[in-house]
Amino acid sequence: MMNTLIFLLFFHIQAATNEPPSDDSAPAKTGPEIIMEVESPEESAQNTEETSEDKKSPIKTDGLVLPEVTVEGEKAPGQDDTADATHVSGDKLRDSPRGSTLEAISQETADVYVSGRGSGVHGVSNGASGAIHVRGLGGSPNAQVLVVEDGVPDVQGIFGHPLPDAYVPFLIGEVRVVKGGDSTLYGSNALGGVILIENRWRLREGFEIENDAAYGSFQSTKETLSLLGRWGDWDLASAFHYYRTDGHRDNAGGYNMVGATGVRWRILPDLKLTLKDKVIHLEGEDPGPATHPNTGHWYDVWRNNLSLRLDYRQKWFDFRTLSYLNVGVHRLYDGFYSEDYTAGLSTEADIHPHKTLDLLVGLSATWIEGEVLDRLAQVDDDDDEEEDVKGLANYAFYNQLTWKPLKSLSFVVGSRELYSTKYGFALLYKGGAKWEFYEGLSLRSRITRNFRQPTLRELYLPFPTSNPDLKPEYSLNWDAGFGLDYRHVEFSFSTYRTQAENMIKYFGSWPSAEVVNIDEIVIWGVEGRFGLKELGPVNMFVTGNWQDVGRYTKQNPDAKVNFTVEAAHDFGEHRLSGSVSGEWVHGLYMENYSREPIDNVFFMDATLRYRYEPSDKDFQLEPYLLLRNILDLRYEYIENYPMPGFNVMAGLKVRI
């Protein structure tokens, strides 16, 4: 890392003495380039003057107040504009009445399905919720859907999937959901989809503190404190979140604590070094089915995610290197104890040889290791029984070429040459095109070949069973779509086909259960979204998805619809806003082959907010009310795990 830093400092000095490329050879301005243009003037002026983007006054349009521009997200490198993706702002996630960040994301796009089981934390044991499906792939475990936070793949080493309670939107700038996966850019686990979380920084000099405290039904308490700062050549983004609840059922309570800190040193206007660390502590219980409740089925989880990143940007060349370490400790009531480690290193460069071309090339390496003990199976008086777990490692070279022969036309091709220490060589690839043939109108299509290696649990752990002879999963995902985004109307429609082979499935029940590769499956589906925006004080949208998942129907619904109606009005320094949203899920089963059907899910939520923001002060006061399941309907995602009836949470946000 130090040698790389010295080289880039020398390279920057050399570049400053040379003639820059002409405008004709400059690349087309994409998201990351726009951020550089906004930020660089501030940094070159040592942040002594505010630009128009940094002023604290909100942007107003037809009665709606749009979020002010005060923060910068870490934009995903090599963004593929031909992918079918949904963007969700951090503000929308923070204001959502849904119980978790993943559920709030699923509210915005119907081809993402996330299960729930109550008012508490999602959990990690049997009966846990938070399972993510994207267009029919995913589920429990969530190893077929990859979550990437600020460039770091977030997986639990033993189980190979993310922890759904680890994502709290206090620092999130934007979430981008890439449907159809992208193993070319992100490697293993990006089989069905990728959820890209981009956290934020403050753009202007000074500090910003925000506190959000809330209390509600079931003795639920939430406290979130965030601090964003910018001084001289340094940036700070830190936050602390605590949530505790007794739960809406006996033994359904728990708490979730998340602390995150990021420090960035802007060594030069185009050279930045970033250190981030996030700690998660999760405690709770599995209450069991309502017909046969559990007592004392507790879990205790600690996780720590640490990363170090170096970014260097020039007009025609971007370079970044990232190293990370994810560590976790899991304890369960039945004696299960595990420690897992996921480490990674990647280096990649964006080269812009011409305004029509962008070439991304990269190298990456990932190591997964861990150990598992059964604390209740004593070998002797001092030792626990240890399971035999063998680590995995992947090494890859990847590339992506974007060609824009016209401003309105884009082509993307890419490949990843992946080598696994267990499975050998795998070739992954993708190709896509997008044509914006008229203002606000576009056509797009993309095909990707994706990959997932079996998890250490599936290979080696008898919890409930294992199979060391498992083969990796592959999928060939295709989609095509049409989009319209013009003035007050937003419309999109996509059709997709997923062909997957060597799918890993569990059959039977322990101790006679087995985990095996099955034959090929094919999933067809259609997804659409329609919205009316800025109709005076009102926005509204509805999104729907229908899919034929074939015979593997467990927790994989046939259809899903989400809708939201929101309104806001300003009275000088005062603002009133509110929303009504809902979800309908059809064709939900607890077993494959359409067995054990569950009644359709339907619920509606509502929010009420009042905001006071003096125009002459950096101050904001916002009391709010979250009303969940306002129709007080009885429904469940997981059989015999009833969701709570009507419940309320009231809170107060203060920002200075």
Side-chain angles (χ1 to χ4, degrees):
M1 178 70 74
M2 183 57 67
N3 292 335
T4 302
L5 181 60
I6 293 172
F7 168 76
L8 290 176
L9 284 168
F10 174 77
F11 185 85
H12 179 83
I13 294 171
Q14 289 293 104
T17 62
N18 296 329
E19 185 72 20
S22 65
D23 290 340
D24 290 339
S25 64
K29 295 301 180 184
T30 60
E33 291 291 332
I34 293 173
I35 289 178
M36 185 173 67
E37 290 186 333
V38 171
E39 188 176 4
S40 294
E42 295 177 321
E43 294 172 342
S44 62
Q46 298 299 313
N47 303 300
T48 56
E49 296 181 359
E50 289 186 2
T51 65
S52 60
E53 288 86 358
D54 288 328
K55 294 180 180 178
K56 296 294 288 186
S57 57
I59 304 169
K60 298 184 180 181
T61 168
D62 295 337
L64 287 172
V65 179
L66 301 183
E68 59 194 29
V69 182
T70 60
V71 294
E72 170 204 4
E74 292 287 355
K75 295 299 180 182
Q79 180 170 301
D80 182 355
D81 291 331
T82 69
D84 193 357
T86 296
H87 296 256
V88 187
S89 71
D91 287 329
K92 183 172 284 290
L93 295 175
R94 282 183 284 277
D95 291 346
S96 173
R98 302 294 294 272
S100 69
T101 299
L102 293 179
E103 292 172 272
I105 292 171
S106 75
Q107 174 67 33
E108 302 301 314
T109 176
D111 47 3
V112 175
Y113 164 74
V114 177
S115 63
R117 68 173 187 182
S119 59
V121 295
H122 284 295
V124 296
S125 59
N126 291 336
S129 59
I132 313 169
H133 283 82
V134 179
R135 292 182 172 176
L137 292 180
S140 182
N142 294 325
Q144 295 174 347
V145 176
L146 181 65
V147 178
V148 179
E149 186 168 11
D150 292 332
V152 177
D154 188 13
V155 296
Q156 303 177 64
I158 295 291
F159 304 98
H161 62 83
L163 186 67
D165 295 296
Y167 312 109
V168 185
F170 42 55
L171 291 178
I172 293 177
E174 183 184 61
V175 169
R176 185 170 184 259
V177 183
V178 179
K179 279 76 77 77
D182 195 338
S183 284
T184 295
L185 286 184
Y186 305 106
S188 181
N189 292 40
L191 200 72
V194 186
I195 298 177
L196 301 171
I197 299 175
E198 300 158 4
N199 286 311
R200 56 184 182 147
W201 300 96
R202 183 177 171 89
L203 277 181
R204 65 178 193 152
E205 194 82 4
F207 292 87
E208 176 183 313
I209 300 175
E210 183 174 288
N211 189 79
D212 184 352
Y215 180 81
S217 303
F218 322 120
Q219 306 295 315
S220 300
T221 304
K222 182 184 74 171
E223 167 62 30
T224 301
L225 177 66
S226 62
L227 170 64
L228 297 175
R230 185 181 181 98
W231 70 100
D233 297 328
W234 294 89
D235 299 308
L236 172 68
S238 62
F240 173 80
H241 171 84
Y242 177 83
Y243 175 75
R244 183 196 173 279
T245 181
D246 289 345
H248 67 293
R249 297 175 51 200
D250 291 340
N251 305 308
Y255 86 86
N256 183 21
M257 181 187 71
V258 181
T261 299
V263 179
R264 183 172 67 175
W265 178 24
R266 287 172 277 113
I267 306 169
L268 296 168
D270 299 319
L271 183 63
K272 304 170 188 174
L273 184 65
T274 305
L275 176 67
K276 290 192 173 183
D277 188 60
K278 183 168 78 168
V279 179
I280 304 104
H281 186 208
L282 182 70
E283 284 190 5
E285 291 188 60
D286 172 18
T291 53
H292 301 86
N294 295 330
T295 301
H297 284 203
W298 56 266
Y299 48 84
D300 186 340
V301 177
W302 282 92
R303 300 205 63 80
N304 189 90
N305 302 340
L306 177 67
S307 67
L308 181 65
R309 173 170 169 166
L310 180 69
D311 290 85
Y312 178 73
R313 288 181 173 178
Q314 285 292 299
K315 187 174 183 179
W316 58 274
F317 176 82
D318 297 343
F319 173 85
R320 51 196 154 259
T321 181
L322 172 69
S323 58
Y324 62 89
L325 175 64
N326 300 338
V327 179
V329 177
H330 291 222
R331 296 181 178 89
L332 299 181
Y333 71 96
D334 59 1
F336 178 89
Y337 174 89
S338 71
E339 297 177 2
D340 64 90
Y341 313 92
T342 303
L345 176 65
S346 65
T347 299
E348 63 183 26
D350 266 327
I351 305 169
H352 321 297
H354 189 267
K355 64 181 179 180
T356 64
L357 295 174
D358 183 279
L359 175 63
L360 181 144
V361 293
L363 295 169
S364 70
T366 305
W367 301 270
I368 299 174
E369 185 61 85
E371 62 179 34
V372 176
L373 302 176
D374 184 351
R375 294 177 290 112
L376 299 185
Q378 295 287 330
V379 177
D380 53 41
D381 293 338
D382 299 317
D383 297 327
D384 299 324
E385 181 176 323
E386 182 173 354
E387 299 294 336
D388 184 20
V389 177
K390 301 178 179 64
L392 299 174
N394 291 329
Y395 307 93
F397 167 76
Y398 57 96
N399 58 85
Q400 176 181 284
L401 177 65
T402 302
W403 179 41
K404 298 193 70 170
L406 301 172
K407 184 178 180 180
S408 60
L409 185 62
S410 300
F411 296 97
V412 172
V413 293
S415 68
R416 174 178 286 253
E417 291 72 38
L418 182 147
Y419 177 77
S420 167
T421 54
K422 182 174 178 62
Y423 297 106
F425 178 79
L427 175 63
L428 311 172
Y429 55 83
K430 70 175 180 178
K434 183 177 182 180
W435 179 29
E436 299 179 10
F437 58 91
Y438 191 73
E439 182 181 0
L441 294 172
S442 64
L443 291 171
R444 50 154 303 279
S445 183
R446 191 176 73 129
I447 188 168
T448 62
R449 177 168 170 80
N450 302 315
F451 166 88
R452 180 180 85 88
Q453 67 183 10
T455 66
L456 296 182
R457 172 186 176 178
E458 292 165 340
L459 289 169
Y460 304 117
L461 301 187
F463 301 106
T465 187
S466 63
N467 182 354
D469 297 323
L470 287 173
K471 301 176 183 178
E473 298 176 329
Y474 290 91
S475 71
L476 188 65
N477 300 355
W478 168 84
D479 59 50
F482 166 83
L484 168 65
D485 190 354
Y486 184 71
R487 294 186 180 178
H488 302 294
V489 178
E490 176 185 333
F491 173 76
S492 65
F493 174 83
S494 298
T495 181
Y496 56 88
R497 181 183 187 272
T498 299
Q499 177 181 321
E501 58 187 66
N502 296 336
M503 301 298 292
I504 297 173
K505 294 291 182 181
Y506 286 86
F507 294 94
S509 57
W510 193 87
S512 59
E514 61 177 356
V515 54
V516 297
N517 294 106
I518 63 171
D519 58 352
E520 179 182 279
I521 64 170
V522 175
I523 299 171
W524 280 94
V526 293
E527 182 264 344
R529 176 185 172 97
F530 176 75
L532 298 174
K533 53 188 180 180
E534 300 175 19
L535 299 178
V538 177
N539 285 332
M540 60 183 70
F541 81 85
V542 60
T543 176
N545 179 69
W546 173 88
Q547 58 190 8
D548 180 3
V549 298
R551 57 191 180 277
Y552 296 104
T553 56
K554 183 177 181 180
Q555 282 290 296
N556 209 354
D558 294 335
K560 178 172 170 279
V561 176
N562 294 90
F563 66 89
T564 299
V565 179
E566 55 190 13
H569 189 72
D570 294 287
F571 305 88
E573 298 175 339
H574 309 272
R575 183 185 190 223
L576 290 176
S577 63
S579 69
V580 175
S581 59
E583 178 171 288
W584 175 78
V585 181
H586 170 73
L588 197 58
Y589 298 90
M590 282 303 297
E591 291 296 339
N592 293 318
Y593 305 97
S594 301
R595 295 181 305 209
E596 299 186 23
I598 299 178
D599 292 339
N600 292 341
V601 169
F602 181 70
F603 66 86
M604 292 175 60
D605 297 334
T607 66
L608 295 172
R609 295 179 180 272
Y610 161 74
R611 179 183 296 174
Y612 171 64
E613 188 171 9
S615 57
D616 58 342
K617 296 181 180 180
D618 290 341
F619 173 76
Q620 186 180 99
L621 182 71
E622 182 177 319
Y624 62 87
L625 191 63
L626 306 180
L627 309 171
R628 295 167 175 157
N629 193 5
I630 57 177
L631 300 180
D632 197 25
L633 299 177
R634 299 294 179 262
Y635 68 98
E636 53 193 29
Y637 292 98
I638 301 171
E639 187 177 26
N640 289 321
Y641 279 81
M643 296 291 287
F646 174 68
N647 62 100
V648 179
M649 178 163 279
L652 176 65
K653 290 171 60 175
V654 179
R655 192 186 70 188
I656 56 176

